[in-house]
Amino acid sequence: METTLKGKVQKWPGYYIGNGEYAIKYVPKQAELLHYKFTSDIPNFPLQEGKLVVENLWPGKKHSTDYKLGDNWYTDKADPNLYDGKIQGGKTILKWRKDILLDWAKRWNWLLDK
């Protein structure tokens, strides 16, 4: 699947799941109207284009095509005061961003020492 965000094309891999059915896993980070295009090198694969509406509401309205979740599901808080721009719950972790990135830097250094 190809999508365009802020003028840049993003590509998401698809997977054959059997019985002539394919699937992709697309996890949006914000509410948006997403234009998509399905392409493939598989002969006679039906090329498709369309739009997806991504809502920024949880739990949102139920639809018959919803992905079935397990017993536990976690999401960001919907409080508008916790948004970082359009990213729901972004301010929840924003205060730890520097610590997280420095921790990752240490981990990468461990790899260099090996």
Side-chain angles (χ1 to χ4, degrees):
M1 178 176 85
E2 293 182 6
T3 62
T4 303
L5 181 64
K6 297 181 181 177
K8 295 183 180 178
V9 175
Q10 298 177 328
K11 295 185 180 188
W12 304 88
Y15 305 94
Y16 183 67
I17 58 175
N19 297 321
E21 294 184 4
Y22 297 82
I24 61 163
K25 183 177 180 182
Y26 174 73
V27 182
K29 303 282 190 281
Q30 63 188 23
E32 62 185 316
L33 176 61
L34 178 74
H35 297 268
Y36 67 85
K37 179 170 50 171
F38 292 128
T39 61
S40 177
D41 293 333
I42 299 171
N44 301 317
F45 188 89
L47 302 180
Q48 300 175 45
E49 294 185 48
K51 298 177 189 176
L52 292 172
V53 177
V54 179
E55 297 175 339
N56 210 4
L57 303 172
W58 183 260
K61 298 176 186 174
K62 290 190 176 189
H63 300 281
S64 61
T65 57
D66 286 348
Y67 181 78
K68 305 300 182 213
L69 303 176
D71 293 334
N72 298 302
W73 181 256
Y74 304 95
T75 187
D76 296 320
K77 293 182 178 181
D79 181 351
N81 293 317
L82 297 176
Y83 277 55
D84 180 21
K86 293 182 179 181
I87 308 299
Q88 179 179 339
K91 287 185 180 174
T92 306
I93 62 164
L94 189 62
K95 56 189 165 193
W96 295 298
R97 179 181 288 166
K98 183 176 179 181
D99 292 336
I100 291 168
L101 292 174
L102 290 173
D103 181 64
W104 271 107
K106 288 179 192 174
R107 293 169 190 261
W108 281 104
N109 281 331
W110 294 341
L111 292 172
L112 294 174
D113 292 340
K114 300 285 176 190

